[in-house]
Amino acid sequence: MKYTYMKYLLIFALTLSCYQSSYSKSFKCLADTATAGKTILDEDGKPVNAHGGGVLYYKGVYYFFGEIKKGNTWLVPDQHWEDYRVPAGGISCYSSTDLVHWKNRGVALKPTTNNPGYDIDTSRVIERPKVIYNKETKKFVMWMHIDKNDYKYSRGGVAVSDKPWGPYQYIGSVKPNNQMLRDMNLFKDDDGKAYLIYSSEDNNTMQICLLSNDYLKPTKHYSRILINKKRESPAIFKYSGKYYLITSGCSGWSPNAAAYAVADHIMGPWEEHGNPCKGPNADSSFYSQGGFVLQVANKPGSFIFMGDIWNKLDLEQSRYLWLPIRFVKGEIEIYN
Ligand code: GAL
């Protein structure tokens, strides 16, 4: 009896230590591949080109979507901020089962060429793509920020596909409730409802807008949050019944201090907290700009802050910074 008890205790202890070591190992691998200026390589040994992106988890596979930044960087004339640009390369897709090995799944959303009047032409701005799956329509739905070189068009574009990796069919763009939409994210809640979260009102205020049941259109139901706080690059996640929203300040491609807010209901009220980044270089978010928080599958409470280390003078050379989020006494903390 005593022996059996001891045996189970040992098995339990071993399982726990394996779990813990693979848990920290997977985070270490992520940090190794992605920290401060390092390139993430795909399975062919080529740099992963997926910036300002987001991850969809579907049937055991992570799909990483991002902006394809390729070609010479140029500065748009007569703008009062760092309006550095490359031609819009469309949206890439990479897949992985372990968040370490990435397979290039090709171009998920292909831009058009020589069609400057069209939203997804290479001459336009296609940024911050995110994808969610709609169980009812069985479609993968991508939303993104569509703009022109001066960033005054400020609309949300939507595209759909039957497969997670694409190809995505572009449907069109919209100003939700006639409001501007720039840096954006998508969030699918536990009840299947989905929301767009975006910098609006000339980047002064964020908005959260409920999407239609098919996720293809904004509804009239929206709220204004972080009013006049001038935040962008929203990264939202939910843990233990609370919503968390990490944002950056507005300084173009140059890094700044992050901040986060917490809410019991997605539409608010949102309670503002300080910078979740801690330690050296926390005031520049470790030289990065967060843009997405990834929930690690089957590991409750495991979330990864995904940031971009922008190289504004050569945007193609931008890198990634992925770091685990720690929950400490009701606060969140991120260390490099
Ligand atoms: C940043 C924004 C990027 C991009 C850039 C253009 O603030 O987060 O997605 O739009 O400005 O300068």
Side-chain angles (χ1 to χ4, degrees):
M1 179 74 184
K2 200 172 164 198
Y3 171 71
T4 316
Y5 174 73
M6 286 297 287
K7 194 173 83 181
Y8 283 122
L9 197 68
L10 189 66
I11 290 170
F12 175 71
L14 274 174
T15 314
L16 191 71
S17 85
C18 283
Y19 175 80
Q20 282 180 335
S21 84
S22 70
Y23 175 84
S24 51
K25 192 164 153 247
S26 78
F27 273 155
K28 190 173 178 306
C29 293
L30 283 169
D32 283 353
T33 50
T35 303
K38 283 196 190 163
T39 313
I40 304 178
L41 297 179
D42 66 16
E43 284 185 351
D44 302 324
K46 298 207 173 107
V48 166
N49 195 333
H51 306 277
V55 177
L56 161 79
Y57 183 73
Y58 179 73
K59 294 197 173 166
V61 180
Y62 297 94
Y63 295 92
F64 178 24
F65 299 90
E67 304 156 18
I68 300 176
K69 296 238 178 276
K70 222 170 176 28
N72 290 339
T73 300
W74 54 286
L75 184 60
V76 178
D78 304 324
Q79 298 297 312
H80 59 278
W81 87 100
E82 304 183 326
D83 196 358
Y84 289 100
R85 301 262 303 106
V86 283
I91 306 304
S92 57
C93 178
Y94 294 82
S95 65
S96 174
T97 51
D98 58 8
L99 293 173
V100 176
H101 301 94
W102 293 96
K103 186 181 171 65
N104 187 350
R105 308 303 295 256
V107 181
L109 180 75
K110 216 177 155 190
T112 59
T113 45
N114 304 317
N115 194 2
Y118 193 50
D119 276 0
I120 56 164
D121 195 67
T122 49
S123 58
R124 298 293 195 92
V125 170
I126 310 173
E127 290 182 340
R128 308 238 167 234
K130 307 288 176 310
V131 174
I132 50 176
Y133 177 63
N134 189 303
K135 266 191 187 160
E136 303 305 320
T137 61
K138 300 195 170 28
K139 299 273 184 203
F140 296 86
V141 181
M142 176 187 286
W143 278 87
M144 70 213 92
H145 169 202
I146 297 288
D147 229 314
K148 297 186 181 174
N149 279 340
D150 60 4
Y151 283 74
K152 287 192 176 140
Y153 190 58
S154 41
R155 296 166 78 96
V158 62
V160 282
S161 172
D162 294 327
K163 307 234 168 50
W165 53 85
Y168 283 78
Q169 302 297 325
Y170 188 70
I171 298 177
S173 67
V174 66
K175 275 191 160 176
N177 298 293
N178 211 19
Q179 303 288 313
M180 296 168 103
L181 181 152
R182 288 189 183 137
D183 277 3
M184 55 139 281
N185 215 316
L186 258 187
F187 182 73
K188 183 170 154 183
D189 213 337
D190 307 326
D191 59 5
K193 290 195 162 113
Y195 301 81
L196 269 176
I197 301 106
Y198 46 95
S199 295
S200 194
E201 306 178 30
D202 230 348
N203 286 6
N204 284 303
T205 295
M206 287 222 168
Q207 295 185 357
I208 301 188
C209 182
L210 174 69
L211 288 173
S212 54
N213 289 341
D214 58 9
Y215 304 165
L216 299 181
K217 290 190 188 105
T219 66
K220 292 200 163 115
H221 190 44
Y222 76 100
S223 74
R224 302 172 68 229
I225 66 162
L226 309 182
I227 293 169
N228 292 325
K229 296 291 166 153
K230 299 190 189 325
R231 308 301 298 173
E232 59 181 11
S233 208
I236 187 170
F237 65 102
K238 188 179 186 182
Y239 178 53
S240 209
K242 286 199 183 291
Y243 299 86
Y244 294 82
L245 180 65
I246 305 176
T247 58
S248 76
C250 293
S251 51
W253 304 108
S254 298
N256 53 53
Y260 77 102
V262 185
D264 291 324
H265 304 281
I266 192 162
M267 289 300 193
W270 284 84
E271 184 187 287
E272 290 175 48
H273 291 243
N275 187 353
C277 299
K278 306 288 173 200
N281 305 314
D283 56 357
S284 69
S285 313
F286 317 117
Y287 305 108
S288 79
Q289 182 185 31
F292 194 78
V293 171
L294 164 66
Q295 176 163 16
V296 182
N298 308 317
K299 287 184 180 163
S302 298
F303 294 88
I304 298 169
F305 167 84
M306 293 172 56
D308 292 279
I309 297 179
W310 299 114
N311 181 335
K312 65 184 174 195
L313 300 178
D314 190 356
L315 284 164
E316 187 177 340
Q317 298 304 323
S318 299
R319 302 287 185 249
Y320 313 90
L321 180 74
W322 294 6
L323 296 169
I325 293 179
R326 299 187 196 174
F327 295 86
V328 184
K329 294 182 193 144
E331 302 281 328
I332 60 169
E333 296 184 348
I334 301 168
Y335 292 84
N336 193 8

